Amino acid sequence: MSKLAHRVESISPFHVMAILDKAKMLQASGEDVIHLEVGEPDFVTDSSVANAGIEAIQKHHTGYTSATGLPELKKTLSAYYKKQYQVDVSPERIIVTSGASGALLLLSSLLVNSDDNVLMPDPCYPCNRHFLIQVGAQAKLVETHSSQQFAIDLEQLSEYWDDKTSGLWLASPSNPTGAVLDQAYLETAFSKVSRLGGHLMVDEIYQGLVYEGEDMTALSISDDIFVINSFSKKFAMTGWRLGWAVVPEWAIEGATKLAQNLFISAPTVSQYAAVRALEDDVLVGCESRRQVLDKRRQFLLKELDRLGLPVVAPAQGAFYVFVDVSGITGNAMQWCLGLLDEYKVALTPGDDFGFHNSHKYVRFAYTCNEARLEEALKRIEQYMKRKDA
Ligand SMILES: Cc1ncc(COP(=O)(O)O)c(C=O)c1O
């Protein structure tokens, strides 16, 4: 009898899958479900970017590219860093991957030995810990607090660090909280991690979706910081499966070897489309979408305040708001399931993102238009009233 590898046991499914399955069932039976659980806005890829992909197919650009990416895309990304963030990043340091997910797998393989651990805040993006399991390592989730915006207290960093710690992984803006880490925090993190002999990785997948605070890149602090990014969110290209990692000079050779062996190359058609995505007129479209998201965010924050639902982290970026529901329920997951069942609004429970006090929180994703958001909040209000009764 064939057996699955032990690591499969250690990988937990998303709790939100239970919500999604239920939402699908309800929808199939004709119910009007409002989705505030998905980490993907309702925008579609810019048509000129889509056309660049179609043109690439028509021109028969359907073979592999070089393992670290199409040279033209790497050059364009390098110019993008210079223009948007005034940072010099040579094209050679850019490794194009299949989404930020591919970059996470690449960096786990590149930087983390089996049996090592990597520090990251609790809560954070849940797949991080699963990529580490893939390489025989593990995430060491560090308890954080709403009073510190769910960021790791860097004063305590050396206490969390042990002789098996390989590095620190952060994300800014954060999923699930939407909080943005500032330059000073990242500088301190980098200097402390360097002193401890580890690596710093910053996930910048929500870069460019910042409404308050500074939209920056950790690459402005040091060439020795590892950064991952993606075309998924800002560019509304989730299904094109394209992202990238930026690595220091000394890591290029190792990253190239791994990219060759793990992936051969990232999707070619998507890479041609992505070159177009970085042109000025498309970036203007990205900015308009950011403004639309900001309007939704402000509306949501105002409404949550009216409903007396505390927002526990500054919702400065991405498209998430992290809310404390412990005033009305002892179990956010059950509360979410009840809300979906009775009022057909889907949210993501905090349990998906960590363990510390996770039963208290839910994540709202403002990924649908304002009219739908308004309707969702009306339904939540009714649910809360009914629960109070
Ligand atoms: C923080 C974070 N990192 C990485 C990813 C992976 O994104 P992708 O593989 O679509 O680029 C996501 C997706 O939601 C995310 O939220």
Side-chain angles (χ1 to χ4, degrees):
M1 197 181 83
S2 51
K3 284 192 192 157
L4 298 180
H6 299 313
R7 76 174 65 86
V8 181
E9 289 277 296
S10 330
I11 299 202
S12 35
F14 290 130
H15 291 87
V16 77
M17 291 322 279
I19 304 265
L20 270 174
D21 287 348
K22 192 169 199 151
K24 272 191 209 140
M25 241 171 54
L26 288 166
Q27 258 169 331
S29 63
E31 297 285 0
D32 171 32
V33 176
I34 306 180
H35 293 277
L36 303 184
E37 83 285 29
V38 279
E40 179 176 39
D42 51 338
F43 304 132
V44 295
T45 305
D46 183 288
S47 60
S48 68
V49 175
N51 285 333
I54 293 168
E55 203 179 301
I57 296 174
Q58 285 166 343
K59 288 186 172 164
H60 307 302
H61 294 312
T62 51
Y64 298 132
T65 64
S66 98
T68 62
L70 189 70
E72 196 185 343
L73 176 58
K74 288 161 56 117
K75 248 176 56 200
T76 313
L77 276 167
S78 166
Y80 171 75
Y81 273 114
K82 184 72 183 169
K83 190 162 177 204
Q84 297 280 314
Y85 299 103
Q86 295 75 54
V87 178
D88 288 309
V89 177
S90 72
E92 294 72 36
R93 290 176 54 210
I94 298 169
I95 316 285
V96 180
T97 54
S98 177
S101 305
L104 281 165
L105 182 59
L106 184 82
L107 293 191
S108 306
S109 310
L110 183 70
L111 299 170
V112 190
N113 284 312
S114 55
D115 294 333
D116 280 359
N117 64 66
V118 172
L119 299 179
M120 56 191 78
D122 177 349
C124 70
Y125 180 55
C127 300
N128 285 353
R129 55 183 193 266
H130 299 150
F131 284 112
L132 291 169
I133 289 171
Q134 261 328 97
V135 297
Q138 54 180 308
K140 195 165 165 189
L141 293 182
V142 177
E143 263 184 40
T144 61
H145 302 278
S146 57
S147 58
Q148 292 182 317
Q149 311 185 350
F150 296 97
I152 292 177
D153 180 354
L154 295 174
E155 291 299 313
Q156 315 272 324
L157 196 66
S158 53
E159 286 167 37
Y160 307 126
W161 203 275
D162 61 38
D163 57 0
K164 287 286 185 188
T165 304
S166 159
L168 171 67
W169 287 9
L170 302 174
S172 180
S174 150
N175 176 9
T177 68
V180 171
L181 298 171
D182 63 23
Q183 171 116 6
Y185 182 93
L186 289 168
E187 278 170 3
T188 308
F190 179 62
S191 83
K192 288 196 180 244
V193 166
S194 303
R195 241 176 288 139
L196 289 159
H199 70 268
L200 174 65
M201 190 280 279
V202 185
D203 181 340
E204 298 187 343
I205 186 173
Y206 296 100
Q207 186 183 58
L209 297 175
V210 174
Y211 319 102
E212 287 170 36
E214 198 191 351
D215 180 28
M216 50 94 65
T217 171
L219 297 166
S220 66
I221 296 169
S222 167
D223 289 351
D224 274 337
I225 297 178
F226 290 80
V227 158
I228 65 166
N229 209 322
S230 173
F231 287 92
S232 285
K233 312 289 175 163
K234 166 174 171 174
F235 297 93
M237 292 177 72
T238 42
W240 296 77
R241 307 309 304 129
L242 203 66
W244 69 94
V246 180
V247 304
E249 293 276 349
W250 52 265
I252 296 173
E253 199 185 322
T256 304
K257 260 195 314 195
L258 285 171
Q260 287 164 346
N261 282 279
L262 292 176
F263 312 120
I264 303 188
S265 80
T268 300
V269 170
S270 306
Q271 294 192 63
Y272 279 94
V275 173
R276 180 73 183 94
L278 295 165
E279 284 181 30
D280 286 345
D281 59 328
V282 181
L283 293 173
V284 168
C286 293
E287 173 55 19
S288 319
R289 289 198 293 268
R290 190 193 66 84
Q291 287 173 16
V292 169
L293 286 169
D294 190 18
K295 272 189 68 197
R296 293 179 186 177
R297 177 186 77 103
Q298 291 181 31
F299 173 74
L300 179 58
L301 290 174
K302 194 175 81 208
E303 285 297 292
L304 289 169
D305 185 50
R306 185 179 66 79
L307 295 182
L309 284 172
V311 173
V312 280
Q316 300 161 298
F319 30 73
Y320 305 121
V321 176
F322 209 45
V323 172
D324 185 347
V325 288
S326 64
I328 43 177
T329 178
N331 183 332
M333 176 73 189
Q334 286 309 320
W335 190 79
C336 288
L337 284 170
L339 175 66
L340 180 59
D341 215 22
E342 295 171 43
Y343 290 91
K344 321 301 175 225
V345 177
L347 297 173
T348 307
D351 305 80
D352 262 341
F353 307 103
F355 305 95
H356 178 63
N357 283 336
S358 54
H359 62 281
K360 287 181 161 185
Y361 305 120
V362 297
R363 186 193 74 177
F364 283 67
Y366 37 101
T367 44
C368 61
N369 69 35
E370 236 177 278
R372 293 293 279 168
L373 266 182
E374 190 173 354
E375 172 62 23
L377 287 153
K378 268 192 209 142
R379 295 186 196 179
I380 291 172
E381 186 172 17
Q382 286 167 13
Y383 181 52
M384 287 169 64
K385 280 196 182 134
R386 216 195 51 47
K387 288 268 147 184
D388 285 348

